[in-house]
Amino acid sequence: MGDATREAEPRVDGKDAQVNQDVLIMEQQRQIEEEISDAIPLVGAKEDLLGTLEKEYISDPIYSMKAKDLSSKYNSIRRTRPDGNCFFRAFAYAYFERLLTCKDDYKGFYDIVSKSKDDLIELGFPQFTLEDFYETFMEVVERIGSGDMTQDELYELFNNQGQSNYIVVYLRLITSGKLQRDADFYLNFIDGNRTMTAFCHQEVEPMFKESDHIHIIALSAALNVGVRVRYMDRGDSAQVIAHDFPEGATPAVHLLYRPGHYDILYEQ
Amino acid sequence: MYYHGTGAAMEQVTALLARAGPIGSSSSAPTSSSSSSSPPTSSSSAPAIAGTSAASSNVSAPGPGTSSSGTVAVPTCKPSSQDALRWERRLQKELMAFVTDPPPGLSIDADATSQNLQDWTVDLRGADGTLYEGENFQLNFKFNSKYPFDAPQVMFVGNHIPVHPHIYSNGHICLSILTEDWSPAHSVQSVCLSIMSMLSSCKDKKRPVDNSLYVKTCNKNPKKTKWWYHDDTV
């Protein structure tokens, strides 16, 4: 631990050390992010649920019990990178994957998203940048619809940072649009006295900002896609509680929530 | 009032730091390692950096044989060649839109900019009827290959820096969309307009209260300051 002594040095001069702290913190933050991105793909391979979770929680009775409960309902899990975009990325991947095989849902979804751009422009989103994201998003949607996309291609696409992030951004914009359009309703769910527009600018539109219930409700409602989230936490219930968004909807996407993070689940 | 500073923001990352262990070394070393990767391609433009210095300190080296080119084990998440074109294409489109339909008070040398898309200098003219009427300024934008997911580095340059409570005399600007509230839906144009409106709504031309201290001690890159935003009025 030779570093300990060196670490103490800069504290001598308060002002100077403070500025260096900024740089230090950011550098370290960058390193942590890099470690995460080197270790965890944006979207991982499908893994056997019980095997994976049991191994992970071998010395944790509560989580082990919950893993068992979960495995009575789900076969597999697909991890996503914990980079703050995990809800959006997991949602998009899981739903697109479903659309590959479930053609019945495609038409309705296509109609909603192809209309979304004009709705967002009407709400005052800058047309220029919006179009960029919309086009990339629709390219992918159309490839899925025309049958010109395999599972492997979808997987590759979502692990291509540029394309994957373009999709995430567009979902963030759709979410923001929904929150602003129905601000009267959604304002009930946010703390403080921020306006809905300010909330969206700060918590929804920027990349890497984590999602809360309000993001999930708005996105699932905007796209009319039911999402079931399974909550795995330290609570003492033996079961992994489910929440459906929007309430009462038939889930098309199943996600596992563990504090701070979403992964994709596959039903039996 | 805006301050640059380490208060609230610092608390947020304390937990992160605690988890990650002590910061390796102090004052001099990190500054040098960060300046080596500063503009125009700051932080981590993966392909170039992969083999070099600091970046190779990743936790899970993929396997003994594969040192430098080695993200093979994990599905590749590094920007591909397609991504490399993506930021260029976006900036080209932005430039074209800017030139064909320049926002009022703003102009740009299209030829010079298209020579190097990662570095833009925008001429900005104080709007009529504001405290900056008739004044001319220059805003510099630097982009890395992660644009538009990474915010550009934006500051005033040249010998005339606006006197404004959120603009430091070294050209650094305290504006949240340039750091933590940056969204890929912003653009050069929307950033310019935000800065214009920040100038136009100013009622008292003066420097930030902590100007001299900040200017003396800050990093050259304003994105390396942990800004602390708490004023929406100016």
Side-chain angles (χ1 to χ4, degrees):
Chain A
M1 291 307 288
D3 284 342
T5 43
R6 280 159 72 202
E7 202 218 342
E9 273 174 24
R11 306 286 155 80
V12 184
D13 177 353
K15 302 294 183 206
D16 223 65
Q18 234 187 20
V19 174
N20 283 333
Q21 286 285 324
D22 278 6
V23 177
L24 282 172
I25 289 166
M26 286 180 168
E27 181 59 20
Q28 181 137 29
Q29 224 169 350
R30 194 187 62 75
Q31 275 175 17
I32 293 170
E33 282 162 13
E34 207 168 77
E35 283 172 9
I36 291 175
S37 68
D38 283 343
I40 307 174
L42 291 169
V43 175
K46 225 179 198 181
E47 300 169 61
D48 171 60
L49 181 98
L50 190 61
T52 309
L53 292 186
E54 264 189 342
K55 214 184 298 160
E56 199 170 332
Y57 296 122
I58 195 149
S59 53
D60 187 327
I62 297 182
Y63 271 54
S64 296
M65 191 168 67
K66 294 195 173 182
K68 258 204 198 88
D69 174 54
L70 204 62
S71 70
S72 67
K73 301 170 182 89
Y74 297 93
N75 276 332
S76 336
I77 181 171
R78 192 190 288 280
R79 293 169 198 272
T80 63
R81 181 182 297 170
D83 64 356
N85 293 316
C86 57
F87 163 69
F88 290 104
R89 207 174 324 260
F91 173 91
Y93 192 88
Y95 192 62
F96 283 3
E97 196 179 25
R98 179 187 161 94
L99 289 180
L100 288 178
T101 50
C102 191
K103 300 287 175 205
D104 292 351
D105 290 2
Y106 182 78
K107 178 83 174 58
F109 179 72
Y110 181 86
D111 288 347
I112 291 175
V113 288
S114 54
K115 233 176 105 290
S116 60
K117 185 183 79 175
D118 294 337
D119 292 348
L120 290 172
I121 290 171
E122 205 176 293
L123 275 167
F125 282 82
Q127 177 160 3
F128 175 77
T129 49
L130 187 75
E131 261 167 11
D132 205 24
F133 295 106
Y134 172 79
E135 280 161 17
T136 306
F137 186 85
M138 288 311 281
E139 244 169 61
V140 176
V141 171
E142 278 159 14
R143 269 184 70 190
I144 293 172
S146 66
D148 176 31
M149 172 93 74
T150 62
Q151 291 265 4
D152 288 350
E153 283 167 341
L154 186 70
Y155 181 77
E156 221 167 88
L157 190 143
F158 267 79
N159 277 304
N160 172 314
Q161 191 136 11
Q163 284 180 299
S164 202
N165 284 350
Y166 264 69
I167 292 168
V168 167
V169 171
Y170 196 63
L171 291 182
R172 284 182 176 277
L173 298 178
I174 289 180
T175 307
S176 169
K178 181 70 178 169
L179 289 169
Q180 293 185 61
R181 195 173 312 112
D182 296 339
D184 288 348
F185 171 68
Y186 288 108
L187 268 173
N188 297 314
F189 299 95
I190 64 174
D191 297 331
N193 41 12
R194 273 190 274 191
T195 63
M196 188 47 87
T197 312
F199 177 82
C200 288
H201 287 340
Q202 289 160 4
E203 307 294 341
V204 184
E205 291 163 25
M207 289 292 276
F208 315 113
K209 292 276 174 97
E210 286 180 19
S211 299
D212 226 321
H213 274 181
I214 186 170
H215 301 71
I216 306 179
I217 302 172
L219 182 64
S220 59
L223 296 179
N224 194 26
V225 172
V227 180
R228 174 166 291 170
V229 181
R230 292 277 175 180
Y231 288 85
M232 195 161 170
D233 55 24
R234 295 242 149 250
D236 49 12
S237 143
Q239 300 215 320
V240 182
I241 294 161
H243 272 286
D244 290 347
F245 304 97
E247 231 178 293
T250 313
V253 167
H254 294 255
L255 302 177
L256 172 62
Y257 177 82
R258 285 175 286 177
H261 184 63
Y262 294 89
D263 292 307
I264 303 168
L265 288 172
Y266 294 91
E267 276 189 302
Q268 297 204 329
Chain B
M1 188 69 72
Y2 281 26
Y3 296 103
H4 85 280
T6 50
M10 229 175 111
E11 277 167 28
Q12 282 177 6
V13 284
T14 321
L16 207 59
L17 294 179
R19 188 154 52 83
I23 293 169
S25 56
S26 49
S27 45
S28 57
T31 332
S32 67
S33 83
S34 58
S35 65
S36 73
S37 64
S38 60
T41 25
S42 76
S43 56
S44 54
S45 55
I49 258 174
T52 60
S53 65
S56 50
S57 65
N58 45 12
V59 264
S60 58
T66 41
S67 60
S68 66
S69 63
T71 38
V72 255
V74 173
T76 171
C77 310
K78 301 292 182 191
S80 68
S81 54
Q82 227 177 343
D83 290 337
L85 295 172
R86 207 170 274 276
W87 67 261
E88 258 187 283
R89 210 174 55 199
R90 155 96 179 224
L91 282 171
Q92 247 147 13
K93 272 167 76 180
E94 285 201 40
L95 183 60
M96 212 173 352
F98 203 104
V99 172
T100 47
D101 185 17
L106 300 170
S107 60
I108 191 167
D109 181 340
D111 288 340
T113 312
S114 57
Q115 296 295 310
N116 179 8
L117 277 171
Q118 288 189 305
D119 193 323
W120 295 31
T121 299
V122 176
D123 292 306
L124 191 150
R125 206 180 143 75
D128 291 350
T130 71
L131 296 181
Y132 303 91
E133 179 170 341
E135 291 183 63
N136 290 301
F137 308 108
Q138 287 196 311
L139 262 181
N140 181 257
F141 286 72
K142 286 188 167 55
F143 305 91
N144 67 31
S145 59
K146 287 186 182 166
Y147 183 77
F149 302 105
D150 250 16
Q153 178 194 319
V154 185
M155 56 193 280
F156 280 100
V157 291
N159 44 21
H160 190 45
I161 307 290
V163 176
H164 184 283
H166 301 161
I167 300 170
Y168 291 86
S169 56
N170 63 354
H172 287 197
I173 308 163
C174 183
L175 180 66
S176 64
I177 61 164
L178 298 180
T179 54
E180 60 182 65
D181 290 346
W182 168 259
S183 139
H186 290 302
S187 60
V188 175
Q189 188 154 334
S190 70
V191 167
C192 287
L193 292 175
S194 290
I195 291 170
M196 280 290 249
S197 108
M198 190 170 116
L199 290 177
S200 298
S201 59
C202 178
K203 293 186 187 67
D204 190 6
K205 258 181 153 176
K206 58 179 185 204
R207 291 273 180 229
V209 280
D210 58 341
N211 187 64
S212 54
L213 176 66
Y214 176 73
V215 170
K216 237 186 291 170
T217 53
C218 68
N219 192 284
K220 269 192 302 198
N221 180 350
K223 284 177 74 183
K224 292 194 185 290
T225 298
K226 287 214 85 76
W227 299 95
W228 194 11
Y229 308 102
H230 44 96
D231 173 21
D232 288 332
T233 56
V234 183

